Amino acid sequence: MSWHSLAEWRARQPGRVVFTNGVFDLLHPGHVDVLIGARARGDVLVVGLNSDASVKRLKGPDRPVRSEGERAVRPRRIEVP
């Protein structure tokens, strides 16, 4: 995404944009709490996802359990009020 397209995207978003990130490999209630807490602090939530290479460096050679593509789907499926 270019800076120009990012600026255009931001201009279309109402209110405050908040950001959180994580591995989200083995999704658990703590992840849900983080997402809900982040969303409560703004009007639009952007969720960053660590790459497979980053997870391997952080968590060890046997991680991630789920691929980046699989992990990207999970946070989007959570209903955040």
Side-chain angles (χ1 to χ4, degrees), residues 34-48:
V34 165
L35 293 169
I36 290 171
R39 176 62 181 88
R41 288 169 173 73
D43 302 298
V44 177
L45 174 61
V46 176
V47 178

Side-chain angles (χ1 to χ4, degrees), residues 19-56:
F19 174 82
T20 191
N21 77 299
V23 171
F24 303 109
D25 191 12
L26 302 172
L27 199 62
H28 57 75
H31 290 122
V32 176
D33 291 345
V34 165
L35 293 169
I36 290 171
R39 176 62 181 88
R41 288 169 173 73
D43 302 298
V44 177
L45 174 61
V46 176
V47 178
L49 183 69
N50 289 58
S51 68
D52 287 347
S54 169
V55 176
K56 198 170 288 295

